[in-house]
């Protein structure tokens, strides 16, 4: 089983992107998808240090809802990270 983590793209440089997983720490990852360019503010899925897919805001909101439904009160820490990713992506897109 693989574990991918959602992140937001902070900047790109060739095949490298700087991302934030919602915890405020900037990390460098490889851009491993060819389905269009990855840009600042994009929501992405990262696995083993490689961007493997673009995500949508709607998809992230569905994940938040599912996590809350399954984990109830214990979901707060996990959903906060997802909410941070959405907030940061919006801020980056606005400029």
């Amino acid at each position: 089983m693989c574990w991918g983590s959602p992140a937001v793209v902070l900047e790109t440089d060739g095949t490298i992107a700087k991302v934030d997983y919602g915890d405020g720490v900037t990390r460098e990852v490889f851009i491993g998808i060819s389905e269009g360019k990855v840009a600042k503010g994009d929501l992405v899925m990262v696995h083993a240090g490689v961007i493997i897919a673009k995500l949508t805001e709607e998809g992230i909101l569905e994940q938040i809802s599912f996590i809350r439904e399954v984990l109830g009160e214990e979901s707060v820490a996990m959903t906060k990270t997802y909410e941070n990713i959405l907030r940061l992506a919006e801020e980056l897109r606005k400029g």
Side-chain angles (χ1 to χ4, degrees):
M1 176 163 86
C2 298
W3 182 269
S5 299
V8 62
V9 176
L10 304 175
E11 62 183 78
T12 63
D13 183 17
T15 60
I16 303 291
K18 290 187 179 180
V19 300
D20 184 328
Y21 291 101
D23 59 2
V25 178
T26 300
R27 296 174 180 88
E28 286 190 355
V29 298
F30 290 102
I31 301 171
I33 58 174
S34 60
E35 58 190 58
K37 297 198 179 220
V38 175
K40 180 178 177 178
D42 282 350
L43 298 164
V44 295
M45 181 65 67
V46 180
H47 170 67
V50 180
I51 295 174
I52 60 171
K54 282 188 175 182
L55 302 174
T56 64
E57 183 176 342
E58 295 78 21
I60 297 284
L61 291 171
E62 285 179 22
Q63 289 179 357
I64 291 170
S65 178
F66 175 76
I67 292 166
R68 284 184 178 148
E69 183 179 318
V70 172
L71 298 179
E73 292 295 318
E74 296 178 23
S75 69
V76 174
M78 184 179 281
T79 57
K80 182 176 180 169
T81 302
Y82 282 72
E83 291 164 350
N84 289 345
I85 291 167
L86 289 175
R87 180 188 45 73
L88 181 56
E90 184 177 337
E91 288 173 5
L92 289 168
R93 286 191 300 262
K94 286 183 179 178

